[in-house]
Amino acid sequence: EIKVHDELIVSENESAVEVETNLHQKSNSEPLHGTFFQTRLEYAYGISQNSEISINAFTSVYSGNTYLNGGKLAYMYIPEHDESGIFHYGIKNEINYIKAIGGGSQTFIEITPILAFQLTDWRLTLNPSLDIYLSGNTETYVLAPSAKLQYELSKDTFIGAEYYSELSPAGQLSSFSQRPDMAYLIFDKNIDKKSNLNFGIGQSTHS
């Protein structure tokens, strides 16, 4: 999943569908190399004014074959929905099952605090996530922070940048050059009250 979580959630007793697709190019030095087409499908339902639950499925297409790569269940809690002011916050908890193409699988819990700061046309969102592995990883705890800086061009149009990192293990932070960090330039557009489009192009910061 390539997403920095913000404080927006589905309204109570309403539902939403999200489709995320991405093309990922692996280097020739990796066991599986070439182009992967990955998709995440999400269905979310607002169970109260301040919270939602969701279910996700992950798929990929590689070398002409389609794979089901797992899924996740998630719960998001936002104390104040669409709150005004400078500081915004919430939390998202997930349980994930991920199966690699031609490889093993991982099961982990992800705890994601949501911290956002709004100053006129600028917005900074931080997700200092903690992954707790139940199986499939030699490390039990992994820090996976991400951040998004966004600028409002107009009422429904935004540009910005996102950054994703993985500090493994949590007790012994790896050096900057060894981390699988990714940076993206992004474009977000609110089409109407119920639909929006998000586009990004990214690159590893260490390749």
Side-chain angles (χ1 to χ4, degrees), residues 115-136:
L115 307 171
F117 305 88
Q118 181 79 43
L119 186 61
T120 60
D121 296 331
W122 290 92
R123 185 179 185 86
L124 174 64
T125 305
L126 306 174
N127 288 172
S129 300
L130 174 65
D131 295 342
I132 304 171
Y133 281 85
L134 306 178
S135 66

Short mmCIF file of all heavy atoms in Angstrom, two decimals, residues 115-136:
data_model
loop_
_atom_site.label_atom_id
_atom_site.label_comp_id
_atom_site.label_asym_id
_atom_site.label_seq_id
_atom_site.Cartn_x
_atom_site.Cartn_y
_atom_site.Cartn_z
N LEU A 115 -1.01 12.13 12.46
CA LEU A 115 -0.74 13.47 12.97
C LEU A 115 -0.68 14.43 11.79
O LEU A 115 0.13 14.23 10.88
CB LEU A 115 0.57 13.52 13.75
CG LEU A 115 0.74 12.49 14.87
CD1 LEU A 115 2.16 12.51 15.41
CD2 LEU A 115 -0.27 12.76 15.98
N ALA A 116 -1.54 15.44 11.77
CA ALA A 116 -1.58 16.37 10.64
C ALA A 116 -1.59 17.80 11.15
O ALA A 116 -2.19 18.11 12.19
CB ALA A 116 -2.81 16.10 9.78
N PHE A 117 -0.92 18.66 10.39
CA PHE A 117 -0.81 20.08 10.74
C PHE A 117 -1.21 20.91 9.52
O PHE A 117 -0.62 20.75 8.44
CB PHE A 117 0.62 20.42 11.16
CG PHE A 117 1.12 19.56 12.29
CD1 PHE A 117 1.74 18.34 12.03
CD2 PHE A 117 0.97 19.97 13.61
CE1 PHE A 117 2.20 17.54 13.06
CE2 PHE A 117 1.42 19.17 14.65
CZ PHE A 117 2.04 17.96 14.37
N GLN A 118 -2.21 21.76 9.69
CA GLN A 118 -2.73 22.58 8.60
C GLN A 118 -2.39 24.04 8.86
O GLN A 118 -2.72 24.59 9.91
CB GLN A 118 -4.26 22.42 8.49
CG GLN A 118 -4.90 23.20 7.37
CD GLN A 118 -4.72 22.52 6.02
OE1 GLN A 118 -4.88 21.30 5.92
NE2 GLN A 118 -4.41 23.28 4.99
N LEU A 119 -1.72 24.68 7.89
CA LEU A 119 -1.38 26.09 7.99
C LEU A 119 -1.70 26.75 6.66
O LEU A 119 -0.96 26.56 5.68
CB LEU A 119 0.09 26.27 8.35
CG LEU A 119 0.54 27.71 8.62
CD1 LEU A 119 -0.22 28.31 9.81
CD2 LEU A 119 2.04 27.76 8.91
N THR A 120 -2.80 27.47 6.61
CA THR A 120 -3.35 28.09 5.40
C THR A 120 -3.41 27.06 4.27
O THR A 120 -4.13 26.09 4.37
CB THR A 120 -2.53 29.34 4.99
OG1 THR A 120 -1.17 28.98 4.73
CG2 THR A 120 -2.59 30.39 6.09
N ASP A 121 -2.60 27.21 3.20
CA ASP A 121 -2.69 26.31 2.05
C ASP A 121 -1.78 25.10 2.16
O ASP A 121 -1.79 24.23 1.27
CB ASP A 121 -2.34 27.07 0.76
CG ASP A 121 -3.33 28.18 0.46
OD1 ASP A 121 -4.51 28.04 0.84
OD2 ASP A 121 -2.92 29.20 -0.15
N TRP A 122 -1.00 25.00 3.21
CA TRP A 122 -0.06 23.90 3.38
C TRP A 122 -0.57 22.90 4.43
O TRP A 122 -1.16 23.29 5.43
CB TRP A 122 1.31 24.42 3.82
CG TRP A 122 2.03 25.17 2.75
CD1 TRP A 122 1.99 26.52 2.53
CD2 TRP A 122 2.88 24.64 1.74
NE1 TRP A 122 2.77 26.86 1.45
CE2 TRP A 122 3.34 25.72 0.95
CE3 TRP A 122 3.32 23.35 1.45
CZ2 TRP A 122 4.19 25.54 -0.13
CZ3 TRP A 122 4.19 23.16 0.38
CH2 TRP A 122 4.62 24.25 -0.40
N ARG A 123 -0.28 21.62 4.19
CA ARG A 123 -0.66 20.57 5.14
C ARG A 123 0.46 19.53 5.23
O ARG A 123 0.92 19.02 4.21
CB ARG A 123 -1.97 19.90 4.71
CG ARG A 123 -2.50 18.87 5.72
CD ARG A 123 -3.80 18.28 5.23
NE ARG A 123 -4.41 17.40 6.20
CZ ARG A 123 -5.21 17.78 7.19
NH1 ARG A 123 -5.52 19.05 7.32
NH2 ARG A 123 -5.74 16.90 8.03
N LEU A 124 0.87 19.22 6.45
CA LEU A 124 1.87 18.20 6.70
C LEU A 124 1.22 17.07 7.49
O LEU A 124 0.64 17.31 8.55
CB LEU A 124 3.05 18.77 7.50
CG LEU A 124 4.11 17.75 7.95
CD1 LEU A 124 4.80 17.12 6.75
CD2 LEU A 124 5.12 18.41 8.89
N THR A 125 1.31 15.85 6.97
CA THR A 125 0.74 14.67 7.62
C THR A 125 1.84 13.67 7.91
O THR A 125 2.63 13.33 7.04
CB THR A 125 -0.34 14.02 6.74
OG1 THR A 125 -1.33 14.99 6.38
CG2 THR A 125 -1.02 12.88 7.48
N LEU A 126 1.87 13.17 9.16
CA LEU A 126 2.88 12.21 9.59
C LEU A 126 2.21 10.91 10.03
O LEU A 126 1.19 10.94 10.74
CB LEU A 126 3.69 12.78 10.75
CG LEU A 126 4.36 14.14 10.52
CD1 LEU A 126 5.01 14.62 11.82
CD2 LEU A 126 5.38 14.06 9.40
N ASN A 127 2.77 9.78 9.61
CA ASN A 127 2.32 8.45 10.02
C ASN A 127 3.51 7.68 10.61
O ASN A 127 4.18 6.91 9.91
CB ASN A 127 1.76 7.66 8.84
CG ASN A 127 0.41 8.13 8.34
OD1 ASN A 127 -0.06 7.65 7.32
ND2 ASN A 127 -0.21 9.06 9.03
N PRO A 128 3.83 7.83 11.89
CA PRO A 128 4.94 7.08 12.50
C PRO A 128 4.50 5.65 12.85
O PRO A 128 4.28 5.31 14.01
CB PRO A 128 5.26 7.91 13.74
CG PRO A 128 3.96 8.56 14.10
CD PRO A 128 3.23 8.82 12.81
N SER A 129 4.39 4.80 11.83
CA SER A 129 3.81 3.47 11.99
C SER A 129 4.78 2.49 12.66
O SER A 129 6.00 2.58 12.47
CB SER A 129 3.40 2.91 10.62
OG SER A 129 2.44 3.72 10.00
N LEU A 130 4.21 1.55 13.39
CA LEU A 130 4.95 0.45 14.00
C LEU A 130 4.35 -0.85 13.51
O LEU A 130 3.15 -1.10 13.68
CB LEU A 130 4.88 0.53 15.52
CG LEU A 130 5.50 -0.65 16.27
CD1 LEU A 130 7.01 -0.70 16.03
CD2 LEU A 130 5.19 -0.57 17.77
N ASP A 131 5.18 -1.72 12.90
CA ASP A 131 4.76 -3.03 12.45
C ASP A 131 5.20 -4.07 13.48
O ASP A 131 6.38 -4.13 13.84
CB ASP A 131 5.36 -3.37 11.09
CG ASP A 131 4.86 -2.45 9.98
OD1 ASP A 131 3.82 -1.80 10.18
OD2 ASP A 131 5.51 -2.39 8.92
N ILE A 132 4.26 -4.90 13.92
CA ILE A 132 4.54 -5.97 14.87
C ILE A 132 4.33 -7.29 14.15
O ILE A 132 3.19 -7.65 13.82
CB ILE A 132 3.62 -5.86 16.11
CG1 ILE A 132 3.75 -4.48 16.75
CG2 ILE A 132 3.95 -6.96 17.11
CD1 ILE A 132 2.73 -4.22 17.84
N TYR A 133 5.42 -8.02 13.88
CA TYR A 133 5.34 -9.23 13.06
C TYR A 133 4.97 -10.44 13.91
O TYR A 133 5.57 -10.71 14.94
CB TYR A 133 6.66 -9.46 12.34
CG TYR A 133 6.80 -8.57 11.13
CD1 TYR A 133 7.30 -7.28 11.25
CD2 TYR A 133 6.39 -9.01 9.87
CE1 TYR A 133 7.40 -6.44 10.15
CE2 TYR A 133 6.49 -8.19 8.77
CZ TYR A 133 6.99 -6.90 8.91
OH TYR A 133 7.08 -6.08 7.82
N LEU A 134 3.98 -11.17 13.42
CA LEU A 134 3.55 -12.41 14.05
C LEU A 134 4.20 -13.61 13.40
O LEU A 134 4.35 -14.66 14.04
CB LEU A 134 2.02 -12.53 13.97
CG LEU A 134 1.23 -11.33 14.53
CD1 LEU A 134 -0.25 -11.55 14.34
CD2 LEU A 134 1.57 -11.07 15.98
N SER A 135 4.57 -13.49 12.12
CA SER A 135 5.25 -14.57 11.41
C SER A 135 5.89 -14.01 10.14
O SER A 135 5.50 -12.94 9.65
CB SER A 135 4.27 -15.69 11.03
OG SER A 135 3.32 -15.23 10.09
N GLY A 136 6.90 -14.72 9.63
CA GLY A 136 7.48 -14.40 8.34
C GLY A 136 8.56 -13.36 8.33
O GLY A 136 9.04 -12.98 7.26
#
